[in-house]
Amino acid sequence: MPHGLEQNLAVMWSNSVWRFGDKPCHRFVRDGEWITHTYKDVDERARHFALGLISLGLTPLDRVALVCENRPEWGVADLATLAAGGVLVTVFPTNSNKQIGYIVDDSESRILIVSNYFQLRKCLESKEVQRHAKTIVIIDPIADLIQGDSRVVTFDDVVNRGKGYDDPAELERRVRDIRAEHTATIIYTSGTTGNPKGVMLTHGNLLSNVRVSQSLFHLRPTDVALSLLPLSHSLERTAGHFAMMLSGGTIAYSEGMDHFDAELKQVRPTVLVGVPRLYEKMKSRIGRSFEEQPWTIRQAFRHALRIGRESTRFRLRGRRLPAYLDLQAQLAESLIFRRVKAGFGGRLRFVISGGAPLAVEIAEFFFALGVPLYEGYGLTEASPVVCANCPGAVKLGTVGRPIPGVEVLIEESGEILVRGPNVMKGYYKLPMETAQVVRGGWLHTGDIGELDAEGFLRITGRLKDIIITSGGKNIAPQCVETLLEMEPNIKQVCVVGDRRPFLAAVIVPDFVELRAWAKAQGLAFSRDRDLVRHAGVESSIQAAVDRVNAQLSSSEAVRKFIVADFEFTQDNGMLTPTFKVRRKAVEIRFAHEIDQLY
């Protein structure tokens, strides 16, 4: 039976199990085959795992750290921890042992769940983990390791402990005791500067965001989401995890980018949540596939895109297509776009983009194909959605209007302030930092933006990233970087120039495109380092910079640049787990080269 008022996420889940019990909930690959678990299947496993955690000594509000890739056990561990009254501490599986140790230490997590041997090794190498974690649960068991450490138990062991727990009614009592104001999760920010801070989000915070997300995008029981963005990312957790559960949809867990193209055709998703780089890659792949076709097909594709873009302008204004355009749009759909969308599985209703600025050209491309791309804006401290373009309310180049129940205010400095039920409880064990960010109920986001006359928000930069040139010009580097990263031969950019006479940039070329170009030119090279020094490469990057500069004011133009011979990654410290560039790290690494530019 349903529990009535959903005051916490565990009750929300129980109600979904009652409504959608025999529907597919999780899909995942096991030994090369797609396996399906229903809502009842997932609930049974989550209940037993929750009782198993209780038998291990988990008490209400204890922290449980989870280091795991997207897979069904992630969802089970989340639901189980919440039902037992615990607080799930999410950890990106790409984090180093030092980063994991910091999070486990800071959150004082007594139970640690890891996915496999690789993650277990990282954790066992951390002194902080050794000091705090009383129990380490491994999902994929490694027999010899488990026998050698009494603290390590398997996921299935915990489930079996739960099956034999002598007071199963304890779980129901705990669920009833969870209040909306109780902390549900601690999510550590990326930490582009300094140590990451633990964002405490309550059951009420997340529920408010989940309900609105489900309503705005009309999610329904027939929807299937392909879960690719890490579940440790607050956007995937809210929109691709909880909102799908609330709506009775199916979550198919991706095995990663290497499998993504094949999974689109196998899973045939109706919904996709991602970051801009994912959609840039999808657009680039489609463009390349047509460039390899005969001239007539290339021309037909370009013509179809023109028709699609023109049709989008009418549709977004709520206007019917003129007869001539309607006929051409139907032809473009049947001859070109239907084939393209078949590569996505043929059922994609819409895709959602967040986490970083999206170039207008990318959104226009997907709308032209007939796959609406809805860009939104949020931050972990806001659970995370603040604004979103959504069906019936889209303005390209903006991140949409504030979602229902959430207020947005622009301060004189241009900073975006947010107030609503989604605003965090605070930073864990950091009352002073919390008081600096949340003042008078308003969350100071650190982002800069503007609201237009229709209430749509446009993001223009980050306060802390603003570059002030020696000539006194204030420039938001993200806008310049987004335009540069749209160029096909450029993958990553870090614009510099604070207190300098002009802007410069560290540019990472798209090495896949670069190698293909070099081979076509007959250039001999053994390493990327040799390749980027070729005069033709610099000329190619210069041409791309010139094209972007033509769209910018003179103060925003990139006058000089460095071509990096390696990508920015988490391993080399240049990227955060949410794929944001660590500006300070880049500036330190290239300090000498940057000085030479000036």
Side-chain angles (χ1 to χ4, degrees):
M1 292 292 290
H3 286 70
L5 181 65
E6 296 176 345
Q7 82 273 13
N8 65 59
L9 291 160
V11 171
M12 181 206 81
W13 166 251
S14 293
N15 287 347
S16 288
V17 174
W18 184 81
R19 294 173 62 201
F20 310 113
D22 294 321
K23 271 199 81 278
C25 179
H26 289 169
R27 292 194 69 205
F28 55 96
V29 175
R30 184 70 47 83
D31 298 325
E33 298 290 331
W34 282 94
I35 308 295
T36 300
H37 285 174
T38 66
Y39 275 75
K40 285 181 181 176
D41 294 333
V42 175
D43 184 56
E44 182 180 15
R45 195 155 172 79
R47 281 175 172 273
H48 289 146
F49 193 76
L51 289 168
L53 291 176
I54 292 171
S55 77
L56 289 170
L58 181 75
T59 60
L61 299 182
D62 276 352
R63 273 75 60 204
V64 176
L66 177 60
V67 189
C68 182
E69 301 75 19
N70 289 20
R71 54 189 292 173
E73 291 86 356
W74 205 109
V76 168
D78 191 12
L79 293 168
T81 301
L82 295 173
V87 177
L88 193 79
V89 179
T90 61
V91 184
F92 282 92
T94 50
N95 279 2
S96 67
N97 59 346
K98 182 179 179 182
Q99 292 167 324
I100 294 170
Y102 176 83
I103 291 172
V104 170
D105 183 32
D106 189 67
S107 65
E108 300 169 290
S109 295
R110 294 177 59 249
I111 296 176
L112 176 63
I113 303 170
V114 301
S115 56
N116 51 38
Y117 172 67
F118 174 66
Q119 300 297 350
L120 179 61
R121 269 188 57 192
K122 285 196 294 185
C123 293
L124 293 178
E125 289 168 2
S126 166
K127 292 178 182 178
E128 290 79 11
V129 169
Q130 299 273 16
R131 184 163 63 247
H132 283 288
K134 305 302 180 188
T135 304
I136 301 176
V137 182
I138 184 168
I139 296 169
D140 294 334
I142 307 294
D144 57 340
L145 260 176
I146 293 168
Q147 291 169 3
D149 193 326
S150 59
R151 292 173 307 162
V152 182
V153 297
T154 71
F155 195 90
D156 286 341
D157 285 342
V158 179
V159 169
N160 289 330
R161 288 178 71 117
K163 287 179 181 178
Y165 193 66
D166 58 6
D167 184 16
E170 169 67 10
L171 189 61
E172 201 68 30
R173 291 193 292 271
R174 290 200 183 191
V175 169
R176 284 199 303 267
D177 288 342
I178 301 168
R179 298 288 172 258
E181 64 271 17
H182 288 171
T183 304
T185 190
I186 300 176
I187 303 174
Y188 280 77
T189 58
S190 300
T192 52
T193 57
N195 286 324
K197 296 186 284 288
V199 177
M200 294 185 291
L201 298 177
T202 67
H203 285 263
N205 289 152
L206 290 167
L207 269 173
S208 71
N209 225 236
V210 169
R211 288 177 181 136
V212 169
S213 298
Q214 192 269 344
S215 174
L216 281 180
F217 294 99
H218 311 299
L219 295 174
R220 47 205 189 206
T222 52
D223 275 321
V224 178
L226 182 56
S227 180
L228 176 70
L229 188 65
L231 278 160
S232 306
H233 196 294
S234 55
L235 176 59
E236 181 68 22
R237 181 108 170 273
T238 293
H241 179 63
F242 288 130
M244 290 299 293
M245 292 175 186
L246 177 64
S247 66
T250 303
I251 303 165
Y253 294 98
S254 170
E255 291 192 288
M257 274 306 300
D258 292 342
H259 305 269
F260 180 64
D261 289 345
E263 288 168 344
L264 285 172
K265 295 173 185 175
Q266 294 162 358
V267 172
R268 303 182 64 227
T270 62
V271 178
L272 190 62
V273 179
V275 291
R277 190 62 187 162
L278 172 65
Y279 303 118
E280 290 165 12
K281 286 181 177 180
M282 292 171 72
K283 175 181 179 293
S284 177
R285 181 175 58 79
I286 294 166
R288 279 201 304 269
S289 69
F290 276 95
E291 286 303 314
E292 294 167 359
Q293 299 296 317
W295 180 85
T296 51
I297 296 178
R298 293 201 305 270
Q299 290 302 105
F301 175 62
R302 289 166 186 160
H303 178 69
L305 281 179
R306 285 194 292 271
I307 295 302
R309 289 190 177 103
E310 190 175 348
S311 301
T312 297
R313 285 191 282 273
F314 278 88
R315 290 179 177 130
L316 292 185
R317 292 199 297 267
R319 295 171 57 187
R320 292 181 60 182
L321 300 185
Y324 79 92
L325 185 58
D326 189 29
L327 177 60
Q328 291 190 75
Q330 291 180 47
L331 287 170
E333 170 64 23
S334 61
L335 297 176
I336 300 293
F337 294 152
R338 187 174 297 166
R339 296 181 187 181
V340 174
K341 289 186 283 191
F344 304 152
R347 297 195 304 178
L348 208 49
R349 291 203 295 128
F350 62 85
V351 296
I352 294 172
S353 178
L358 178 77
V360 175
E361 181 185 337
I362 301 295
E364 287 177 340
F365 178 82
F366 277 86
F367 269 100
L369 293 180
V371 179
L373 195 168
Y374 298 119
E375 184 182 11
Y377 161 72
L379 60 165
T380 304
E381 289 87 343
S383 304
V385 186
V386 172
C387 296
N389 285 290
C390 58
V394 177
K395 183 178 282 191
L396 301 185
T398 77
V399 292
R401 293 188 177 112
I403 63 173
V406 172
E407 299 173 80
V408 169
L409 178 70
I410 308 297
E411 262 198 341
E412 286 185 16
S413 64
E415 185 178 10
I416 301 166
L417 273 55
V418 176
R419 183 167 65 180
N422 57 330
V423 172
M424 68 172 179
K425 187 175 184 176
Y427 293 122
Y428 185 60
K429 299 192 296 188
L430 296 172
M432 291 181 63
E433 286 82 350
T434 301
Q436 289 170 0
V437 172
V438 183
R439 304 198 291 272
W442 289 95
L443 172 66
H444 290 245
T445 67
D447 292 312
I448 304 169
E450 53 195 28
L451 285 166
D452 67 15
E454 296 176 282
F456 286 86
L457 179 67
R458 181 174 284 103
I459 308 295
T460 56
R462 287 281 297 166
L463 268 179
K464 67 183 178 63
D465 292 338
I466 288 294
I467 291 173
I468 304 175
T469 65
S470 56
K473 295 287 185 181
N474 286 30
I475 300 161
Q478 288 93 341
C479 300
V480 182
E481 290 163 351
T482 299
L483 288 172
L484 284 167
E485 287 171 358
M486 280 303 303
E487 291 294 319
N489 57 346
I490 294 176
K491 184 169 185 179
Q492 297 165 315
V493 181
C494 180
V495 169
V496 298
D498 196 48
R499 313 296 171 183
R500 309 269 197 171
F502 56 82
L503 295 190
V506 179
I507 294 177
V508 177
D510 187 319
F511 286 108
V512 174
E513 296 279 349
L514 192 57
R515 292 174 201 127
W517 170 83
K519 287 176 182 175
Q521 299 294 314
L523 298 179
F525 65 94
S526 57
R527 301 177 301 174
D528 290 335
R529 182 175 297 177
D530 301 325
L531 185 55
V532 298
R533 294 195 178 109
H534 192 278
V537 172
E538 186 161 339
S539 298
S540 172
I541 299 291
Q542 183 66 65
V545 171
D546 291 343
R547 285 191 293 271
V548 169
N549 283 345
Q551 306 171 54
L552 301 169
S553 67
S554 59
S555 60
E556 294 172 312
V558 172
R559 306 273 187 88
K560 295 183 179 182
F561 58 85
I562 298 156
V563 182
D565 57 12
F566 61 88
E567 290 186 16
F568 301 155
T569 66
Q570 293 175 58
D571 289 340
N572 61 30
M574 306 292 174
L575 278 189
T576 71
T578 52
F579 315 113
K580 296 181 178 72
V581 173
R582 296 186 191 272
R583 295 182 181 279
K584 289 296 181 188
V586 174
E587 289 177 13
I588 291 169
R589 168 61 181 79
F590 291 92
H592 176 71
E593 293 92 332
I594 291 170
D595 286 341
Q596 292 299 306
L597 294 180
Y598 293 97

